[in-house]
Amino acid sequence: MRRSTVIRTGLSALLLLGTWATAGLAPATAASPAPEEPASAAMLTAMQKDLGLTPSQAETRLATEKTATAVEGKARRAAGSSYGGSWISSDSGKLTVAVTDRAKADAVRATGATVRLVEYSASRLDAAKKRIDGLTAPDGVSSWGVDPTSNRVVVSVVTAQKNDKDVQAFVAKAREAGPVTVQEIAAPIRTTAAGTVGGDPYYTGNVRCSIGFSVQGGFVTAGHCGSVGASVRGWDNTYIGNFQGSSFPENDYAWVNVGSGWWTVPVVLGWGTVPDALVRGSNEAPVGASICRSGSTTHWRCGVVQGKNVTVNYGNGQLVYQLTQTSACAEPGDSGGAYISGDQAQGVTSGASGNCTTGGTTFYQPINEILNRYGLRLHTA
């Protein structure tokens, strides 16, 4: 937040995802606690709109996903080396765990998970994906990552370039690395930074991006939005802080210190269309879980987690590893914005294909990796 003598109205009044800019407010740490609202209020509202659910269906889905998230760690330990991945079923909302060893099935079921027997373990698929990471990817190859539901490494190619010789050569070498399937996408994946637009959240140079999550002393965002030392300005063009750490490509994360009258609070903005969401932790949601993201261009959008440990090719040899893929759309300017599942922080927006008119696919950098990399502590309610 930043202290101000003028109350600014409209969306441009909100600088941070997790920060308000309004008059006369004391820092959240000094304020009297407000009555607690349901942590999932923002997601319930948006899920009804974006996923076509009734209020009761949205509530049921969040409840079952919370249970599935709690079960996942136990089920993975029970599966041991035969673990082949896990995901939340879109039909039942229960966690499904893939195993290669039938003898492990009963132990996994005892944790509350459903079991599917598969051919390849997660370690085998991860090893194949790592070998593909070592290849030189042409721009027509957009991404690749392990898909537990198909028990394969999925390589995505741009439809218009699928017959390109370099693309075909890459796919052939990828198939040599292990069990691979190929899918087509309509457009390349691009980072979602944007040129300066007056009245929108934060700027560095001539780039506009979105803040992710408040941490003690600052906030996290996308690495492609600025390099170490770059100055950051807020909605009112006043100085906030500087990039203290930044990594892109290979990773896509950064953190910015907050000072000069600004402070942080554990909130993800709903942009007036849904209630603001409190952040209470960073437990990682499974594949198939509902997820929502907030950004300064397209505001609040929801979808599901589609895959993890995905390598994305942003072109010109710029690869980013270990991203999570979702069906929540994004557009330029949303880079760095927050992904949240229930009241748990998940990550910050890296890039996307498509848009929020026709639909698209997005990728985020997981939050816990960022916190661990820089020794940061998430600001929680």
PDB file of all heavy atoms in Angstrom, residues 85-99:
ATOM      1  N   GLY A  85       2.268 -40.447 -11.131  1.00  0.00           N
ATOM      2  CA  GLY A  85       1.618 -39.150 -11.266  1.00  0.00           C
ATOM      3  C   GLY A  85       0.239 -39.172 -10.624  1.00  0.00           C
ATOM      4  O   GLY A  85      -0.285 -40.236 -10.281  1.00  0.00           O
ATOM      5  N   SER A  86      -0.356 -38.004 -10.462  1.00  0.00           N
ATOM      6  CA  SER A  86      -1.683 -37.924  -9.851  1.00  0.00           C
ATOM      7  C   SER A  86      -2.439 -36.735 -10.404  1.00  0.00           C
ATOM      8  O   SER A  86      -1.836 -35.773 -10.890  1.00  0.00           O
ATOM      9  CB  SER A  86      -1.566 -37.825  -8.327  1.00  0.00           C
ATOM     10  OG  SER A  86      -0.778 -36.718  -7.950  1.00  0.00           O
ATOM     11  N   TRP A  87      -3.771 -36.796 -10.308  1.00  0.00           N
ATOM     12  CA  TRP A  87      -4.611 -35.716 -10.797  1.00  0.00           C
ATOM     13  C   TRP A  87      -5.998 -35.837 -10.173  1.00  0.00           C
ATOM     14  O   TRP A  87      -6.387 -36.903  -9.699  1.00  0.00           O
ATOM     15  CB  TRP A  87      -4.731 -35.742 -12.321  1.00  0.00           C
ATOM     16  CG  TRP A  87      -5.362 -36.994 -12.880  1.00  0.00           C
ATOM     17  CD1 TRP A  87      -6.686 -37.190 -13.197  1.00  0.00           C
ATOM     18  CD2 TRP A  87      -4.702 -38.243 -13.165  1.00  0.00           C
ATOM     19  NE1 TRP A  87      -6.884 -38.456 -13.669  1.00  0.00           N
ATOM     20  CE2 TRP A  87      -5.686 -39.130 -13.669  1.00  0.00           C
ATOM     21  CE3 TRP A  87      -3.377 -38.688 -13.069  1.00  0.00           C
ATOM     22  CZ2 TRP A  87      -5.389 -40.434 -14.044  1.00  0.00           C
ATOM     23  CZ3 TRP A  87      -3.091 -39.985 -13.441  1.00  0.00           C
ATOM     24  CH2 TRP A  87      -4.082 -40.841 -13.929  1.00  0.00           C
ATOM     25  N   ILE A  88      -6.716 -34.723 -10.171  1.00  0.00           N
ATOM     26  CA  ILE A  88      -8.085 -34.717  -9.674  1.00  0.00           C
ATOM     27  C   ILE A  88      -9.026 -35.013 -10.834  1.00  0.00           C
ATOM     28  O   ILE A  88      -8.979 -34.342 -11.866  1.00  0.00           O
ATOM     29  CB  ILE A  88      -8.434 -33.375  -9.023  1.00  0.00           C
ATOM     30  CG1 ILE A  88      -7.585 -33.167  -7.764  1.00  0.00           C
ATOM     31  CG2 ILE A  88      -9.910 -33.295  -8.669  1.00  0.00           C
ATOM     32  CD1 ILE A  88      -7.787 -31.826  -7.097  1.00  0.00           C
ATOM     33  N   SER A  89      -9.875 -35.992 -10.676  1.00  0.00           N
ATOM     34  CA  SER A  89     -10.818 -36.360 -11.723  1.00  0.00           C
ATOM     35  C   SER A  89     -11.857 -35.267 -11.910  1.00  0.00           C
ATOM     36  O   SER A  89     -12.440 -34.770 -10.947  1.00  0.00           O
ATOM     37  CB  SER A  89     -11.512 -37.680 -11.361  1.00  0.00           C
ATOM     38  OG  SER A  89     -12.600 -37.928 -12.229  1.00  0.00           O
ATOM     39  N   SER A  90     -12.100 -34.890 -13.167  1.00  0.00           N
ATOM     40  CA  SER A  90     -13.096 -33.858 -13.445  1.00  0.00           C
ATOM     41  C   SER A  90     -14.504 -34.348 -13.158  1.00  0.00           C
ATOM     42  O   SER A  90     -15.417 -33.552 -12.946  1.00  0.00           O
ATOM     43  CB  SER A  90     -12.995 -33.410 -14.908  1.00  0.00           C
ATOM     44  OG  SER A  90     -13.196 -34.517 -15.784  1.00  0.00           O
ATOM     45  N   ASP A  91     -14.707 -35.657 -13.152  1.00  0.00           N
ATOM     46  CA  ASP A  91     -16.042 -36.218 -12.902  1.00  0.00           C
ATOM     47  C   ASP A  91     -16.343 -36.333 -11.412  1.00  0.00           C
ATOM     48  O   ASP A  91     -17.359 -35.831 -10.929  1.00  0.00           O
ATOM     49  CB  ASP A  91     -16.167 -37.595 -13.561  1.00  0.00           C
ATOM     50  CG  ASP A  91     -16.056 -37.531 -15.074  1.00  0.00           C
ATOM     51  OD1 ASP A  91     -16.492 -36.509 -15.642  1.00  0.00           O
ATOM     52  OD2 ASP A  91     -15.539 -38.472 -15.676  1.00  0.00           O
ATOM     53  N   SER A  92     -15.450 -36.986 -10.678  1.00  0.00           N
ATOM     54  CA  SER A  92     -15.719 -37.269  -9.266  1.00  0.00           C
ATOM     55  C   SER A  92     -15.132 -36.236  -8.311  1.00  0.00           C
ATOM     56  O   SER A  92     -15.586 -36.101  -7.179  1.00  0.00           O
ATOM     57  CB  SER A  92     -15.154 -38.646  -8.897  1.00  0.00           C
ATOM     58  OG  SER A  92     -13.733 -38.637  -8.979  1.00  0.00           O
ATOM     59  N   GLY A  93     -14.112 -35.506  -8.776  1.00  0.00           N
ATOM     60  CA  GLY A  93     -13.420 -34.579  -7.900  1.00  0.00           C
ATOM     61  C   GLY A  93     -12.440 -35.272  -6.977  1.00  0.00           C
ATOM     62  O   GLY A  93     -11.784 -34.620  -6.159  1.00  0.00           O
ATOM     63  N   LYS A  94     -12.313 -36.593  -7.092  1.00  0.00           N
ATOM     64  CA  LYS A  94     -11.391 -37.343  -6.247  1.00  0.00           C
ATOM     65  C   LYS A  94     -10.012 -37.416  -6.886  1.00  0.00           C
ATOM     66  O   LYS A  94      -9.849 -37.263  -8.094  1.00  0.00           O
ATOM     67  CB  LYS A  94     -11.929 -38.756  -6.003  1.00  0.00           C
ATOM     68  CG  LYS A  94     -13.201 -38.798  -5.168  1.00  0.00           C
ATOM     69  CD  LYS A  94     -13.617 -40.233  -4.894  1.00  0.00           C
ATOM     70  CE  LYS A  94     -14.851 -40.292  -4.003  1.00  0.00           C
ATOM     71  NZ  LYS A  94     -15.260 -41.684  -3.717  1.00  0.00           N
ATOM     72  N   LEU A  95      -9.013 -37.673  -6.044  1.00  0.00           N
ATOM     73  CA  LEU A  95      -7.650 -37.799  -6.525  1.00  0.00           C
ATOM     74  C   LEU A  95      -7.442 -39.185  -7.131  1.00  0.00           C
ATOM     75  O   LEU A  95      -7.763 -40.203  -6.517  1.00  0.00           O
ATOM     76  CB  LEU A  95      -6.664 -37.599  -5.375  1.00  0.00           C
ATOM     77  CG  LEU A  95      -5.187 -37.583  -5.789  1.00  0.00           C
ATOM     78  CD1 LEU A  95      -4.843 -36.264  -6.466  1.00  0.00           C
ATOM     79  CD2 LEU A  95      -4.283 -37.805  -4.580  1.00  0.00           C
ATOM     80  N   THR A  96      -6.913 -39.207  -8.348  1.00  0.00           N
ATOM     81  CA  THR A  96      -6.511 -40.452  -8.990  1.00  0.00           C
ATOM     82  C   THR A  96      -4.993 -40.531  -8.978  1.00  0.00           C
ATOM     83  O   THR A  96      -4.315 -39.561  -9.336  1.00  0.00           O
ATOM     84  CB  THR A  96      -7.013 -40.527 -10.442  1.00  0.00           C
ATOM     85  OG1 THR A  96      -8.444 -40.501 -10.448  1.00  0.00           O
ATOM     86  CG2 THR A  96      -6.541 -41.809 -11.124  1.00  0.00           C
ATOM     87  N   VAL A  97      -4.459 -41.655  -8.573  1.00  0.00           N
ATOM     88  CA  VAL A  97      -3.011 -41.860  -8.516  1.00  0.00           C
ATOM     89  C   VAL A  97      -2.638 -43.007  -9.442  1.00  0.00           C
ATOM     90  O   VAL A  97      -3.209 -44.105  -9.354  1.00  0.00           O
ATOM     91  CB  VAL A  97      -2.545 -42.171  -7.080  1.00  0.00           C
ATOM     92  CG1 VAL A  97      -1.058 -42.493  -7.056  1.00  0.00           C
ATOM     93  CG2 VAL A  97      -2.840 -40.996  -6.165  1.00  0.00           C
ATOM     94  N   ALA A  98      -1.706 -42.739 -10.352  1.00  0.00           N
ATOM     95  CA  ALA A  98      -1.221 -43.768 -11.273  1.00  0.00           C
ATOM     96  C   ALA A  98      -0.084 -44.544 -10.620  1.00  0.00           C
ATOM     97  O   ALA A  98       0.796 -43.953  -9.989  1.00  0.00           O
ATOM     98  CB  ALA A  98      -0.738 -43.124 -12.563  1.00  0.00           C
ATOM     99  N   VAL A  99      -0.117 -45.875 -10.754  1.00  0.00           N
ATOM    100  CA  VAL A  99       0.953 -46.720 -10.220  1.00  0.00           C
ATOM    101  C   VAL A  99       1.332 -47.763 -11.262  1.00  0.00           C
ATOM    102  O   VAL A  99       0.500 -48.193 -12.068  1.00  0.00           O
ATOM    103  CB  VAL A  99       0.540 -47.427  -8.905  1.00  0.00           C
ATOM    104  CG1 VAL A  99       0.271 -46.411  -7.811  1.00  0.00           C
ATOM    105  CG2 VAL A  99      -0.675 -48.305  -9.120  1.00  0.00           C
TER     106      VAL A  99
END
